Amino acid sequence: MKLPNEFIEKYTNLFGDEAAAFFASLQEDVVEKGFRLNPLKNQFENVSYSLAEPVPYVPTGYYGNVSGKSLEHQTGYVYSQDLSAMYVAEVLDIEPGDRVLDLCAAPGGKSTQLAGKLNDTGLLVSNEINLKRAKILAENMERTGAKNVVVLNENPANLAKHLPGYFDKIIVDAPCSGEGMFRKDHNAIDYWHQDYPAECALRQRDILQDAVKLLAPGGQLVYSTCTFAPEEDEQIIDWLVTSYPDFEILPIEKYPGMDQGIPAVTQDQNLELEKTVRLMPHHFKGEGHYIAKLQDTRTKTSDVVKSPKVKKKKNKKQQDKTVLSKEEYQLWQAFQSEVVPALAYAQQDLKVYGSYLYYYSKNWFSLDQLKFVRPGLLLGTFKKNRFEPSYSLAVALNPTTECAKTITITREEWATYVSGNVINVSRDLPNGWYLLECEGKAVSFTKVVQGVAKNFFPKGLRFNV
Ligand SMILES: C[S@@+](CC[C@H](N)C(=O)[O-])C[C@H]1O[C@@H](n2cnc3c(N)ncnc32)[C@H](O)[C@@H]1O
């Protein structure tokens, strides 16, 4: 890998004696991998990956490589994540019931972790400006099985216009010059030029200005990048606390191999920046990252004050099209009482978009003016006088406690099913909807018709093991 000359010059000046070790680490081909367990799932004794090497700084993190074609991945038990990246969401102090925003969320590394930390309380809004990436994000969030996640496809300015002061906690994992990704993605070097970090910094300031507007007084903000560039790291945080004096930098615990931020790269030599973290590949097993944690010191206001105003409906024509018809509600209830009795959602917490039925709590914000990819948990589809449960609902279920009709399948049968084939089951089994579970993990819904479990695994997700 050929590093640009200006890059070498810049970091030789900045890192001095350490520069040679730093450049050498960027040339390493074999980089240790990591993964996280999803706390929304249960029975981890059935996970076939070794949990012998836990990561010391993330309770759900482990060293090791997981396959995207494994049962554990398909059912959302594990998420493959860089060993540095998994420290970002870890440092945000999530409390049950928090409203959390991941502003630059695709493909979902931080968001999947945040969903686990919220444990189905509060609300997680995972936002991604790029539609294609937002769809990938939604797929990754689906696999977590979280019931309280909304995926938006908004620009931060529009979000700030509609939801000012709405969120208790925000992560800005900013688009950056990606220097920390050079060894993982050699193409990142092609985009790099001397002025690139400064250009990225302008965009990061814009995004942070909106993030500040979105944060509730007394809220917490975590900012991260995967670059070594001081322009996008310490200098951005220095700019933030200078521009917004209500914000103060909180200390982040430094585990072995983690470095502190470098005050010397800022004009005012702001020593507070030592509280931030640099993850450097010559010191730490993981790609290059920078993390800062900020506290808004304004007094917290009550939920009543911070909820955005919802405009009252003016006339009948403007009636909410997302309200279920009586027939739709009856179809859902018939399915729900028979198959998922634990999910007795109130009618006000259900919404329809076209023929799709979603769980979306009445306590969450109005989606009217926002572009969304996932307006809550997709429960299923209404099709000519019947209700068909979704894959999203299947993977969100605990087969033991939340589903009354399950069929246990073997790993071989699982492999058959995810490749798009049917499975033969007992002919004595009554026809109808069942949840397929393998080793306690919810795989998919199936419809049994005379001893055959029909394939309802989404076409776009099918794979051969
Ligand atoms: C570093 S990546 C996020 C990675 C993600 N947080 C994760 O852990 O998987 C930055 C994201 O910011 C998005 N982005 C680009 N320009 C943006 C902008 N102006 N405002 C908000 N997000 C932007 C990119 O599309 C990209 O998905």
Side-chain angles (χ1 to χ4, degrees):
M1 179 172 65
K2 169 98 178 73
L3 294 167
N5 290 338
E6 296 90 346
F7 181 89
I8 294 177
E9 204 178 311
K10 177 176 177 179
Y11 290 110
T12 303
N13 288 336
L14 186 62
F15 298 141
D17 293 347
E18 298 231 346
F22 167 67
F23 294 130
S25 73
L26 297 187
Q27 303 291 351
E28 281 167 17
D29 284 339
V30 186
V31 176
E32 187 144 1
K33 298 255 185 328
F35 67 91
R36 280 183 294 100
L37 292 179
N38 176 0
L40 293 167
K41 306 284 175 175
N42 58 349
Q43 297 184 9
F44 290 119
E45 63 276 13
N46 284 340
V47 168
S48 61
Y49 292 109
S50 166
L51 307 182
E53 274 197 273
V55 164
Y57 47 91
V58 176
T60 52
Y62 294 85
Y63 297 97
N65 196 5
V66 297
S67 159
K69 290 186 169 187
S70 61
L71 170 67
E72 285 77 4
H73 172 82
Q74 183 260 304
T75 54
Y77 271 62
V78 296
Y79 189 91
S80 171
Q81 193 175 29
D82 168 60
L83 289 160
S84 297
M86 66 170 73
Y87 196 43
V88 176
E90 195 53 46
V91 305
L92 191 64
D93 297 320
I94 299 288
E95 288 158 54
D98 273 346
R99 293 168 174 178
V100 182
L101 171 65
D102 186 358
L103 189 51
C104 313
K110 319 294 175 307
S111 273
T112 50
Q113 197 168 356
L114 293 169
K117 284 169 147 275
L118 276 171
N119 197 17
D120 273 337
T121 70
L123 171 65
L124 171 61
V125 175
S126 302
N127 179 66
E128 169 56 44
I129 196 168
N130 176 310
L131 179 59
K132 209 168 151 195
R133 289 174 64 81
K135 288 179 180 166
I136 296 168
L137 168 67
E139 261 180 29
N140 283 327
M141 296 319 292
E142 176 177 64
R143 244 191 331 270
T144 66
K147 299 184 177 80
N148 59 339
V149 176
V150 175
V151 177
L152 299 181
N153 170 222
E154 274 298 343
N155 66 64
N158 200 40
L159 213 52
K161 187 171 141 203
H162 290 287
L163 297 174
Y166 188 77
F167 295 98
D168 304 303
K169 311 278 156 71
I170 297 182
I171 284 193
V172 174
D173 186 27
C176 68
S177 57
E179 294 171 357
M181 294 296 132
F182 279 2
R183 68 176 173 182
K184 195 172 169 184
D185 173 14
H186 292 193
N187 293 332
I189 300 177
D190 299 338
Y191 293 99
W192 195 91
H193 54 89
Q194 210 169 0
D195 301 327
Y196 193 34
E199 288 169 15
C200 291
L202 290 177
R203 184 164 57 170
Q204 287 149 359
R205 284 187 186 200
D206 283 348
I207 295 172
L208 279 171
Q209 277 166 347
D210 291 321
V212 168
K213 290 181 196 152
L214 286 155
L215 194 67
Q220 207 178 80
L221 174 72
V222 163
Y223 171 82
S224 61
T225 70
C226 56
T227 190
F228 310 109
E231 300 90 325
E232 303 172 68
D233 295 346
E234 289 88 350
Q235 289 174 17
I236 282 286
I237 297 305
D238 191 44
W239 162 83
L240 184 71
V241 292
T242 309
S243 313
Y244 299 93
D246 288 326
F247 280 76
E248 69 179 34
I249 303 174
L250 291 180
I252 299 176
E253 189 170 354
K254 318 275 187 303
Y255 286 82
M258 296 185 181
D259 290 312
Q260 55 191 33
I262 310 171
V265 297
T266 59
Q267 255 182 3
D268 53 351
Q269 313 260 319
N270 184 350
L271 287 176
E272 288 289 293
L273 289 162
E274 288 182 352
K275 294 177 177 170
T276 67
V277 171
R278 272 184 172 257
L279 301 174
M280 304 295 294
H282 57 303
H283 292 159
F284 190 78
K285 280 185 192 171
E287 305 297 352
H289 270 73
Y290 174 77
I291 314 171
K293 178 175 174 178
L294 298 129
Q295 181 68 43
D296 176 345
T297 57
R298 288 173 298 168
T299 316
K300 267 190 180 182
T301 50
S302 75
D303 281 359
V304 182
V305 177
K306 74 184 184 189
S307 289
K309 283 184 195 131
V310 179
K311 280 188 198 138
K312 291 247 163 69
K313 303 265 149 18
K314 282 188 187 138
N315 56 40
K316 272 201 162 176
K317 266 189 191 163
Q318 285 183 315
Q319 245 172 18
D320 191 352
K321 288 196 190 106
T322 65
V323 175
L324 275 78
S325 67
K326 199 171 148 204
E327 293 73 27
E328 286 169 333
Y329 190 52
Q330 282 169 351
L331 283 174
W332 158 250
Q333 274 194 315
F335 169 83
Q336 180 264 324
S337 57
E338 188 191 347
V339 185
V340 285
L343 301 194
Y345 293 129
Q347 195 167 350
Q348 305 96 297
D349 292 330
L350 298 171
K351 276 177 183 276
V352 273
Y353 287 97
S355 56
Y356 297 103
L357 176 67
Y358 289 87
Y359 162 67
Y360 189 91
S361 167
K362 62 178 183 308
N363 300 323
W364 299 344
F365 58 90
S366 165
L367 285 166
D368 284 358
Q369 318 266 338
L370 296 166
K371 281 187 269 166
F372 53 80
V373 176
R374 172 186 159 126
L377 173 65
L378 177 62
L379 300 172
T381 317
F382 293 110
K383 296 191 166 172
K384 282 189 199 146
N385 294 327
R386 62 189 174 85
F387 176 76
E388 190 174 301
S390 71
Y391 174 68
S392 301
L393 176 60
V395 287
L397 292 172
N398 178 325
T400 320
T401 58
E402 291 180 319
C403 191
K405 290 179 76 189
T406 56
I407 297 174
T408 300
I409 55 173
T410 62
R411 280 216 179 214
E412 289 69 34
E413 287 169 325
W414 166 77
T416 303
Y417 199 78
V418 296
S419 69
N421 293 302
V422 300
I423 303 175
N424 291 320
V425 292
S426 163
R427 290 192 75 86
D428 297 337
L429 211 56
N431 291 348
W433 289 108
Y434 292 82
L435 178 70
L436 292 176
E437 63 95 359
C438 181
E439 298 174 8
K441 302 170 184 67
V443 170
S444 170
F445 275 111
T446 182
K447 194 171 188 179
V448 170
V449 181
Q450 289 166 354
V452 177
K454 303 265 183 193
N455 200 297
F456 280 83
F457 195 71
K459 285 201 172 75
L461 299 181
R462 290 178 187 174
F463 59 94
N464 293 315
V465 180

